[in-house]
Amino acid sequence: MRVFFWNAQGLAKDGAKAKLKELQNLHKPDIICIAEAQVFCTARFVRSLRLVDFSEDVVTSESGDDKDNIWVMWKTSLTRPVILSSSKQVITIEVEGNIITAVHASYNPVTRKMMWRQLDLGSTSLPWLVLGDFNCVLRMEEKKGGIPIKEVYMNEFTSWISDNSLVEVDSLGKKYTWSNRQKGSRRIVSKHDRAVVNDAWFFKYDNWRCKALPRICSDHSPLIGFAFQSPRPKRAPFRIQKMWMSHPSFMNLVKDTWNLSMVGAPPFVFSSKLRRLKDVLKVWNRTVFGDVQFRLKQAELKLDAEMDLLDCDPADELQFTRVDDAKKAADDVRMDLTSMLRMKSRVTWLEEGDQNTRFFHNSIRMRRSQNTISDLKVSINSTLFLQDNIKDFLVNHYKDKFNGGDTCIDSKLFDFYHERISSQESILMDAIPNLEEIRVVVFDLGADSAWP
């Protein structure tokens, strides 16, 4: 689901209409949300926008006047959205099993506070996206210039996000999405526009992110939210999972596989045994552990069924034992999942035993996002978006860099004086560490960093 939002501050301008069409052709959104169109929403005007494959039907918010404050448009391939709620500041729709809220918050803190109370969908199980112009920031560093924002306003924003179990999506592009277009000491920039989602949205649209585009025809940046498809690398690294260690057959499997006889030179034997052990453990993991999240759902369903039977006959001691066994099985699988997520998240500062799987999921998502290149600007007028194009450009760049012709080195570079390593420092660098030094270094590693 690709969703576009823009506080256009007047769509009647030829430049704004042309820019909207250009962005629609470039980013191909499924949903377009426009704030401050400042024009009557008529079928004739919507046709004049010339949006390809978009319905001429438009959902608008209740603004109290004829020029509706927020417009929502959608592709003809989608079903018509159902309006869940509407006001001058927000409009919430349901489309294709998703809830999308477009926001154009008031600059008045009192009016904006009413919006926080109205936007209360924290209990929904459907994927929920909230994006738009919040007219407020979450952190002090998100605003430069002008009067410092009051902390109470940021706390209201933060509390609303927390109360509705929402999280910020990964932000790309421009750091500041709004500007007052002034110069010098009068200039103010701020991050007014953003997107937040619930966990269900992340589960449905993996690696979803929001990019703030350059400000053109408006003092607000357009936002484009999209699920970035990052294919698994063909040579994904092999990693041992900590949950394997608790299985009784693990160590015997490793010993038996490693002790299989093999003839050849020692380096060949070692590498061959290592490859064989990896292959055996991959098969064993799929057979013994499988999909841990699926196993957890199955264990929880079985526990729920056993508890229903116990409720029908509370005096049945055998059924009470079955409930205990089902509970233990679910707890064991839950521990396996927590252990796996902890290792994937690379979080090292939590105490052993913490089981905040939502926190681990968000940590994994953030780490993957930081390690992912979703677009690459290769020149002033050219940006690559497709993964194959990015991969080819990077490969060719480093091929040209390291496989080029002879490099001409200026001999003058060797004439500069620099301090050399002293003989005492050289001795220390060549010294062989003693056993105590090795022990200290090894035991200072994280619990999941290395295994004896």
Side-chain angles (χ1 to χ4, degrees):
M1 178 65 71
R2 299 175 69 88
V3 184
F4 176 87
F5 176 91
W6 188 23
N7 185 341
Q9 296 184 323
L11 268 186
K13 300 173 291 187
D14 291 337
K17 292 168 67 174
K19 188 61 181 178
L20 178 60
K21 180 174 174 57
E22 176 191 336
L23 293 173
Q24 188 255 335
N25 290 332
L26 179 62
H27 297 286
K28 308 222 171 2
D30 301 297
I31 301 287
I32 292 179
C33 305
I34 301 294
E36 285 197 76
Q38 297 179 2
V39 67
F40 296 109
C41 183
T42 63
R44 180 178 180 181
F45 183 81
V46 173
R47 283 194 297 270
S48 73
L49 296 175
R50 296 185 294 127
L51 300 178
V52 181
D53 296 330
F54 265 73
S55 173
E56 293 181 4
D57 192 8
V58 178
V59 170
T60 60
S61 64
E62 299 175 1
S63 61
D65 54 33
D66 293 330
K67 295 181 180 179
D68 299 297
N69 194 40
I70 306 174
W71 297 11
V72 178
M73 296 174 280
W74 59 93
K75 272 190 171 181
T76 52
S77 57
L78 302 178
T79 58
R80 189 184 193 279
V82 177
I83 301 178
L84 301 182
S85 64
S86 178
S87 69
K88 188 172 183 179
Q89 298 186 82
V90 296
I91 181 170
T92 300
I93 61 170
E94 181 179 342
V95 57
E96 303 290 333
N98 305 301
I99 297 177
I100 298 176
T101 299
V103 176
H104 180 222
S106 172
Y107 65 89
N108 186 308
V110 177
T111 308
R112 191 169 61 242
K113 191 172 183 178
M114 294 172 57
M115 184 191 73
W116 300 137
R117 291 197 293 265
Q118 293 168 358
L119 272 177
D120 184 12
L121 285 174
S123 60
T124 183
S125 59
L126 293 177
W128 184 25
L129 162 69
V130 188
L131 84 166
D133 174 12
F134 289 88
N135 243 312
C136 188
V137 299
L138 282 173
R139 291 167 281 272
M140 287 289 188
E141 60 267 23
E142 292 180 349
K143 181 183 179 183
K144 281 188 175 181
I147 302 173
I149 189 163
K150 293 183 179 180
E151 192 171 347
V152 63
Y153 303 149
M154 293 189 295
N155 291 340
E156 290 174 355
F157 195 179
T158 304
S159 297
W160 171 77
I161 290 177
S162 177
D163 293 343
N164 286 273
S165 300
L166 299 169
V167 293
E168 288 186 84
V169 303
D170 299 321
S171 298
L172 303 173
K174 299 299 180 182
K175 180 179 180 180
Y176 303 106
T177 64
W178 173 82
S179 166
N180 67 345
R181 295 181 173 178
Q182 299 295 315
K183 297 180 180 179
S185 60
R186 294 178 297 175
R187 183 171 178 81
I188 304 173
V189 291
S190 178
K191 186 174 181 179
H192 279 181
D193 310 79
R194 70 177 74 234
V196 292
V197 298
N198 64 356
D199 288 341
W201 185 276
F202 272 135
F203 284 128
K204 186 173 182 179
Y205 302 108
D206 189 33
N207 210 9
W208 205 85
R209 53 190 58 194
C210 185
K211 184 172 183 179
L213 305 175
R215 296 186 294 272
I216 298 178
C217 306
S218 170
D219 54 17
H220 284 266
S221 291
L223 301 180
I224 178 65
F226 57 97
F228 177 71
Q229 301 299 325
S230 180
R232 181 178 175 85
K234 294 180 180 179
R235 300 182 63 183
F238 173 80
R239 291 188 176 91
I240 292 178
Q241 296 293 334
K242 187 177 181 180
M243 61 183 179
W244 296 354
M245 308 295 175
S246 60
H247 197 278
S249 67
F250 174 74
M251 290 307 300
N252 290 331
L253 176 68
V254 173
K255 291 178 181 178
D256 294 342
T257 304
W258 192 262
N259 290 333
L260 291 174
S261 60
M262 188 172 291
V263 180
F268 169 77
V269 172
F270 179 82
S271 60
S272 299
K273 284 188 174 184
L274 196 58
R275 284 195 300 270
R276 178 189 293 175
L277 180 59
K278 289 180 181 179
D279 294 337
V280 169
L281 288 178
K282 288 178 181 178
V283 175
W284 176 79
N285 176 50
R286 288 195 296 268
T287 305
V288 176
F289 289 94
D291 187 335
V292 182
Q293 294 191 2
F294 176 77
R295 286 174 51 220
L296 179 59
K297 291 181 181 178
Q298 295 298 104
E300 289 175 341
L301 288 173
K302 181 174 176 57
L303 174 60
D304 189 51
E306 297 291 358
M307 292 183 70
D308 287 344
L309 292 175
L310 181 61
D311 291 343
C312 294
D313 185 6
D316 189 345
E317 294 185 3
L318 181 60
Q319 185 60 33
F320 190 83
T321 304
R322 292 195 185 100
V323 170
D324 276 349
D325 293 341
K327 185 176 183 302
K328 184 179 183 305
D331 289 341
D332 290 343
V333 179
R334 193 175 292 108
M335 286 293 294
D336 290 343
L337 177 61
T338 302
S339 174
M340 182 182 68
L341 293 178
R342 175 189 288 271
M343 289 190 66
K344 285 186 176 181
S345 68
R346 309 287 179 88
V347 174
T348 58
W349 51 267
L350 287 180
E351 293 293 332
E352 190 71 28
D354 286 336
Q355 298 186 26
N356 192 337
T357 55
R358 182 188 177 201
F359 171 77
F360 290 139
H361 273 297
N362 290 334
S363 299
I364 294 169
R365 175 183 58 80
M366 292 172 64
R367 187 173 62 83
R368 286 178 177 172
S369 174
Q370 292 170 353
N371 295 335
T372 301
I373 301 175
S374 57
D375 55 68
L376 182 65
K377 188 172 184 179
V378 297
S379 67
I380 296 177
N381 300 318
S382 179
T383 302
L384 302 179
F385 295 99
L386 299 178
Q387 280 296 289
D388 289 339
N389 294 343
I390 293 175
K391 179 184 68 175
D392 293 341
F393 178 84
L394 292 175
V395 170
N396 293 332
H397 170 77
Y398 285 104
K399 277 184 177 179
D400 296 339
K401 184 178 180 66
F402 296 116
N403 296 335
D406 295 335
T407 303
C408 181
I409 300 177
D410 189 351
S411 59
K412 293 180 179 179
L413 294 175
F414 298 98
D415 295 336
F416 289 98
Y417 174 78
H418 60 87
E419 294 184 0
R420 298 185 179 184
I421 299 175
S422 66
S423 57
Q424 185 177 3
E425 291 171 334
S426 179
I427 293 174
L428 290 175
M429 292 175 65
D430 293 336
I432 299 175
N434 57 45
L435 293 178
E436 178 60 22
E437 290 173 329
I438 296 174
R439 188 195 69 80
V440 170
V441 171
V442 170
F443 281 85
D444 278 347
L445 292 172
D448 300 330
S449 296
W451 293 92

